[in-house]
Amino acid sequence: MRKSRYGYGGPSNFEIGAKTLVREKLQACLLLVMGIVAWALPAQASTDTLAQANSALQAGEADTALSLLDSLPPSAEVHNLRCRVFFTLEQWDAAATECQQAVNLEGQNSDYHMWLGRALGEKADRASFLSAFSMAKRARAEFEEAVQLDARNAPAMADLGEFYYEAPGVVGGGADKADQVAAELDRLDPERAHELRGRTAESRKDYATAERELKLALATSKHPAYRWMTLASFYYRHERWSEMNSALRSGVKAEEADRQAAVALFNGASMLAQHNLEPSFAVEMFRQYLASAAKSEEAPAFVAYTRLARLEASLGDLGGARRGRVAALGLAHSYRPALELKF
């Protein structure tokens, strides 16, 4: 304040300018904060929606997952999740297209290459000879790229090993290559390494080694219920019925002590359903899986409902079968096997 001849008067020009400058700076800071908040809120909302979509995928709620993903702007993660939803729906063309988009947007992500390899592999299994030849080579290249990008990606390494022992040499397969992958897996994931060796040995018709390696996978597993079901499948393929039944029941018992391994119930029930064995036991396992809180995209709930419905129909429970079909389509309205159920 300046002092006038009449006492203290109004503020000086300097004081007015200083206050104006402070006010302008405060306004600028406020606008900056508001801008940051405006940017952060949609980003957080997108993150939350992605998390919700992934949760829906794990729960087998395919329609919900796709609806959530459709509400988001395109990104590598959105395309990858869409790919995985279509993968559970067995819509291989759509899955491969979405996974390719994810790779195009983020080519250094090992998991995106792995999922593209999986989708291409499924397409190859159902394609004509010439198309299958080309797609199988592309699938192999994607698995190899996934491992090259991340040498600690054990699931991708296991997928590559599986490709090698299953595919003919003309598309880059070979059991000797699978052996090399198993050796690399030893230091990352001994359980997967033993399983790969077991399946490779079985492809060579070395059944004694195959059984031994599958039992070693069981012995090293933190979730043995899974490995009991793998062993049961091995015994089925070699018509060792008593051992198959024993392994299945051991798997169910192991799951009771490890509720995070509920997918093992789906696996065991699916094996029985596929081969029309012990339908009542398969029904029980499917129901236990569907009642579990540990469902996963590895065992989509709508697939479980569809397979359960078939079994219930075969046992004369048409009411239960119809309810299963409705439940399946309520989760995934375009799932063709459920649409094809006629009851």
Side-chain angles (χ1 to χ4, degrees):
M1 302 283 288
R2 74 181 187 274
K3 189 173 182 180
S4 71
R5 57 188 291 188
Y6 303 110
Y8 284 92
S12 67
N13 289 336
F14 174 80
E15 289 174 314
I16 293 173
K19 289 181 179 180
T20 301
L21 181 61
V22 169
R23 184 167 59 251
E24 289 175 350
K25 285 186 175 181
L26 286 173
Q27 290 174 341
C29 288
L30 180 60
L31 289 173
L32 178 61
V33 170
M34 291 175 63
I36 290 172
V37 170
W39 172 85
L41 285 176
Q44 183 60 47
S46 293
T47 300
D48 292 345
T49 303
L50 280 169
Q52 292 167 11
N54 185 59
S55 295
L57 169 60
Q58 302 311 313
E61 300 167 359
D63 289 348
T64 299
L66 287 175
S67 177
L68 288 165
L69 292 168
D70 286 345
S71 72
L72 294 172
S75 70
E77 189 171 3
V78 167
H79 284 298
N80 176 255
L81 280 171
R82 284 177 60 83
C83 164
R84 288 158 55 189
V85 176
F86 286 129
F87 195 95
T88 65
L89 290 167
E90 300 168 21
Q91 296 178 15
W92 315 120
D93 287 345
T97 297
E98 292 292 338
C99 270
Q100 184 65 66
Q101 290 295 320
V103 166
N104 290 347
L105 290 172
E106 197 171 321
Q108 298 302 302
N109 187 299
S110 175
D111 282 342
Y112 295 170
H113 284 279
M114 177 186 72
W115 276 104
L116 178 55
R118 289 175 176 178
L120 290 170
E122 294 291 345
K123 280 189 66 174
D125 285 345
R126 294 158 179 81
S128 64
F129 177 77
L130 290 178
S131 296
F133 181 86
S134 172
M135 277 186 279
K137 290 198 295 184
R138 285 184 60 201
R140 186 206 73 226
E142 293 301 329
F143 290 137
E144 289 174 342
E145 181 70 11
V147 171
Q148 183 176 349
L149 286 169
D150 182 1
R152 299 191 63 80
N153 189 338
M157 198 171 289
D159 284 353
L160 178 60
E162 181 179 347
F163 177 92
Y164 283 151
Y165 76 72
E166 285 189 342
V170 69
V171 294
D176 56 335
K177 293 182 179 180
D179 290 335
Q180 294 173 14
V181 173
E184 294 175 19
L185 269 173
D186 277 329
R187 61 188 174 81
L188 292 177
D189 193 328
E191 179 184 346
R192 281 192 168 98
H194 286 303
E195 182 183 13
L196 177 54
R197 284 197 183 90
R199 293 191 179 277
T200 304
E202 189 174 5
S203 74
R204 291 179 170 129
K205 298 184 172 23
D206 182 359
Y207 303 132
T209 298
E211 182 179 7
R212 182 176 68 251
E213 290 291 338
L214 292 177
K215 285 182 174 178
L216 285 170
L218 170 63
T220 58
S221 179
K222 295 179 180 178
H223 302 286
Y226 292 106
R227 297 307 166 197
W228 277 117
M229 299 309 180
T230 302
L231 197 57
S233 295
F234 171 81
Y235 290 137
Y236 167 79
R237 290 191 293 275
H238 301 286
E239 300 182 356
R240 295 165 62 175
W241 310 119
S242 176
E243 289 156 302
M244 180 199 77
N245 284 321
S246 177
L248 280 169
R249 283 161 174 78
S250 293
V252 172
K253 186 175 181 179
E255 188 275 337
E256 290 172 356
D258 178 12
R259 294 301 186 181
Q260 297 305 307
V263 173
L265 299 174
F266 174 93
N267 293 343
S270 295
M271 185 198 74
L272 292 177
Q274 181 181 359
H275 304 295
N276 197 28
L277 298 170
E278 297 195 56
S280 295
F281 187 27
V283 164
E284 180 185 344
M285 283 194 284
F286 274 133
R287 287 176 177 168
Q288 288 178 6
Y289 173 69
L290 288 167
S292 164
K295 290 185 280 292
S296 165
E297 67 183 288
E298 298 173 44
F302 56 85
V303 177
Y305 276 118
T306 301
R307 294 176 183 178
L308 174 60
R310 287 199 197 102
L311 287 170
E312 288 173 326
S314 73
L315 293 170
D317 183 3
L318 291 181
R322 292 187 186 105
R323 287 191 294 273
R325 181 180 186 274
V326 169
L329 292 174
L331 296 171
H333 78 279
S334 63
Y335 183 54
R336 185 175 296 278
L339 289 168
E340 291 173 349
L341 295 176
K342 303 300 180 184
F343 39 71

